[in-house]
Amino acid sequence: MPGAEFVAEAERIQQALRQRLVLDDSLGAAPTLVAGVDVSYDKVSPRITAAAVVVDLTTGVEVESVVVPGEVSFPYLPGLLAFREVPILLVALDRLGHRPDMVVCDGYGVAHPRRFGLACHLGVVTGLPTFGVAKTPFVGSFDEPGVRRGDWSALRDDDEVLGRVLRTQTGVKPVFVSVGHRTSLDRATTLTLDLSPRYRLPEVIRRADFLSREALR
């Protein structure tokens, strides 16, 4: 396991990057091209793959996708996942022929112990608006939202709102939405619902997860 100095340096970098975080919605109009990104890991080797999938929100049609192979270059440490995933995600985003208006990550934004999860980190280093959609909570507490699609409750840490616990499908477990960079929680919530017409998770994340897993076979 890495030593305390290694962890402290990574946390110092996080805190420095966090100073560049923009939590206001910087998009004048609704985004058209939205990218979903995900990273998959091989269980028996250092191999990883990243996938980025772009959809046109006005038509619901997939515009393009890329898959990038690589190897893990940073150990698994809770709260420092971005250091494992951002480098290969940057390669994937750079290989896209279309620059997305928004990126949604399978993970956390400000719903993070240091308020700087994967979506924040990726947003700051790319300059792109980002938010995170996670399957489970990492920090904070919440009341169970209503059972119907669109119902939500606040994800809080004491009096601080970190995100929303959002029901994307009636009678299905909620997801955990938090802002990353240059977007608002209202917009992230609306987009999560727009991107999840049939399943619990946004289609772009489901597709990126599928492609990255398939590439490891």
Side-chain angles (χ1 to χ4, degrees), residues 1 4 49 55-56 63 70 78 82 138-139 164 187 189 212:
M1 287 292 292
T49 56
V55 298
D56 185 330
V63 175
F138 187 23
V139 293
R164 286 180 182 164
R187 192 186 291 274
T189 302
S212 61

Side-chain angles (χ1 to χ4, degrees), residues 54-73:
V54 180
V55 298
D56 185 330
L57 263 185
T58 60
T59 63
V61 174
E62 182 177 317
V63 175
E64 66 172 318
S65 64
V66 297
V67 178
V68 176
E71 290 193 354
V72 171
S73 59

Side-chain angles (χ1 to χ4, degrees), residues 2-3 16 32 49-50 64 71 74-76 78 94 113 123 128 143 154 167-169 173 180-181 188 198 200:
T32 300
T49 56
E64 66 172 318
E71 290 193 354
F74 194 91
Y76 173 74
D94 188 58
L128 291 168
D143 294 323
R167 194 84 64 182
T168 54
Q169 302 297 326
K173 287 182 180 180
H181 183 57
R198 293 180 296 276
R200 179 188 178 211

Side-chain angles (χ1 to χ4, degrees), residues 25-34 57 101-102 129 182-183 187 191:
D25 196 331
S26 63
L27 289 175
T32 300
L33 297 181
V34 178
L57 263 185
D101 302 314
M102 178 76 71
R182 296 182 56 207
T183 193
R187 192 186 291 274
L191 285 173

Side-chain angles (χ1 to χ4, degrees), residues 12-164:
R12 186 196 66 76
I13 293 170
Q14 271 188 336
Q15 296 288 11
L17 288 174
R18 185 171 176 267
Q19 303 309 307
R20 295 160 50 188
L21 196 61
V22 176
L23 297 178
D24 297 324
D25 196 331
S26 63
L27 289 175
T32 300
L33 297 181
V34 178
V37 296
D38 198 15
V39 176
S40 292
Y41 298 82
D42 187 58
K43 294 180 180 179
V44 295
S45 78
R47 292 173 60 226
I48 58 174
T49 56
V53 177
V54 180
V55 298
D56 185 330
L57 263 185
T58 60
T59 63
V61 174
E62 182 177 317
V63 175
E64 66 172 318
S65 64
V66 297
V67 178
V68 176
E71 290 193 354
V72 171
S73 59
F74 194 91
Y76 173 74
L77 295 167
L80 298 174
L81 180 68
F83 289 93
R84 282 167 72 91
E85 299 195 348
V86 164
I88 195 169
L89 288 176
L90 290 176
V91 177
L93 289 171
D94 188 58
R95 291 187 184 177
L96 290 171
H98 300 75
R99 180 176 173 85
D101 302 314
M102 178 76 71
V103 178
V104 52
C105 302
D106 182 1
Y108 307 96
V110 297
H112 178 274
R114 286 173 294 283
R115 309 302 186 254
F116 199 74
L118 173 63
C120 300
H121 199 135
L122 188 64
V124 165
V125 298
T126 62
L128 291 168
T130 57
F131 66 96
V133 178
K135 294 181 282 292
T136 57
F138 187 23
V139 293
S141 59
F142 61 94
D143 294 323
E144 193 73 12
V147 299
R148 299 188 64 80
R149 170 178 162 87
D151 289 344
W152 61 268
S153 61
L155 179 65
R156 297 178 178 274
D157 186 358
D158 292 327
D159 293 333
E160 184 181 4
V161 175
L162 301 180
R164 286 180 182 164

